[in-house]
């Protein structure tokens, strides 16, 4: 039934938003000197980029009856691993810089969301999509999956921005420490993901 597709799409989307690579990416993109509103805008742009990739590929699969090539998921995860390392290194380099209100880089954030759109548990979503009977149910699944990712990333961002922002405002030392912890987690997540790709058969 269409109701089951709606529930499954929203549930998988929300779950996918909590993937470790997503959390590390958002943590690295957030600037601790910004408020919660800007943090939510960052997660919204990232989530829209992520959902655009997933929706576009899913729509192509539904419309043309195609299957996802086997090489696409590993390629996406390789790009994600590289982006996590790059974000972490860049964050570490600038962690001790004075806090200034820089303009948001929405284009970069959207592009990173696009890259993440087919990595991690998104493959599970596409697998679930392939079991949907009827285009209406498949389209409903795609829309709700994307909405679930955006809502989930908003929740993750709030969970990160509030405590990290409070800690960073205590002192420059706290701010530097918060940013370097986020940077380290991002690099570690990228190296772990890259290493898993190397050792997997």
């Amino acid at each position: 039934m269409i109701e089951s597709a709606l529930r499954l799409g929203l549930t998988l989307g929300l779950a996918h938003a909590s993937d470790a690579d997503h959390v590390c990416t958002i943590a690295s993109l957030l600037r601790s000197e910004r408020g919660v509103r800007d943090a939510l805008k960052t997660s919204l742009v990232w989530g829209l980029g992520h959902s655009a990739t997933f929706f576009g590929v899913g729509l192509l699969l539904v419309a043309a009856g195609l299957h996802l090539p086997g090489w696409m998921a590993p390629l996406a995860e390789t790009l994600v691993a590289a982006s996590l390392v790059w974000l972490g290194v860049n964050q570490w380099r600038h962690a001790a810089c004075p806090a200034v209100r820089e303009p948001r880089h929405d284009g970069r954030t959207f592009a990173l969301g696009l890259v993440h759109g087919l990595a991690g548990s998104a493959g599970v979503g596409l697998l679930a999509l392939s079991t949907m009977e009827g285009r209406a149910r498949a389209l409903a699944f795609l829309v709700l999956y994307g909405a679930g990712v955006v809502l989930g990333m908003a929740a993750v961002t709030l969970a990160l921005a509030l405590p990290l922002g409070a800690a960073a405002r205590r002192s420059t030392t706290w701010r530097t420490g918060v940013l370097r912890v986020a940077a380290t987690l991002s690099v570690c997540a990228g190296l772990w993901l890259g290493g898993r790709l190397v050792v997997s058969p």
Side-chain angles (χ1 to χ4, degrees):
M1 296 176 65
I2 191 69
E3 292 81 4
S4 62
L6 294 176
R7 288 196 299 269
L8 180 60
L10 186 59
T11 300
L12 286 179
L14 288 168
H16 183 52
S18 63
D19 280 2
D21 60 317
H22 296 174
V23 175
C24 288
T25 299
I26 289 295
S28 295
L29 286 173
L30 294 177
R31 293 298 182 187
S32 298
E33 65 274 9
R34 289 187 171 276
V36 174
R37 180 181 298 179
D38 278 341
L40 286 174
K41 287 180 180 178
T42 296
S43 69
L44 177 62
V45 172
W46 188 96
L48 289 174
H50 180 289
S51 298
T53 299
F54 188 88
F55 187 82
V57 172
L59 193 61
L60 183 63
L61 297 180
V62 171
L66 302 176
H67 296 284
L68 194 66
W71 52 265
M72 185 171 288
L75 175 61
E77 294 199 359
T78 299
L79 293 175
V80 167
S83 71
L84 285 169
V85 173
W86 174 76
L87 281 170
V89 170
N90 187 60
Q91 185 84 297
W92 183 278
R93 289 177 55 223
H94 296 94
C97 296
V100 293
R101 189 174 176 82
E102 301 175 356
R104 293 199 321 272
H105 300 286
D106 289 343
R108 185 188 71 176
T109 303
F110 188 81
L112 287 169
L114 289 174
V115 170
H116 281 246
L118 294 179
S121 61
V124 176
L126 290 176
L127 182 62
L129 175 66
S130 66
T131 67
M132 299 290 167
E133 296 182 0
R135 292 187 177 182
R137 185 178 298 183
L139 289 175
F141 175 85
L142 286 173
V143 171
L144 267 293
Y145 188 98
V149 169
V150 174
L151 292 174
M153 287 315 303
V156 169
T157 299
L158 281 176
L160 290 172
L162 292 175
L164 294 185
R169 285 190 293 271
R170 291 174 63 93
S171 68
T172 302
T173 301
W174 275 89
R175 176 185 180 277
T176 300
V178 165
L179 294 179
R180 283 185 172 165
V181 167
T184 301
L185 291 175
S186 181
V187 171
C188 290
L191 293 177
W192 174 81
L193 181 57
R196 189 183 65 174
L197 291 171
V198 170
V199 300
S200 62

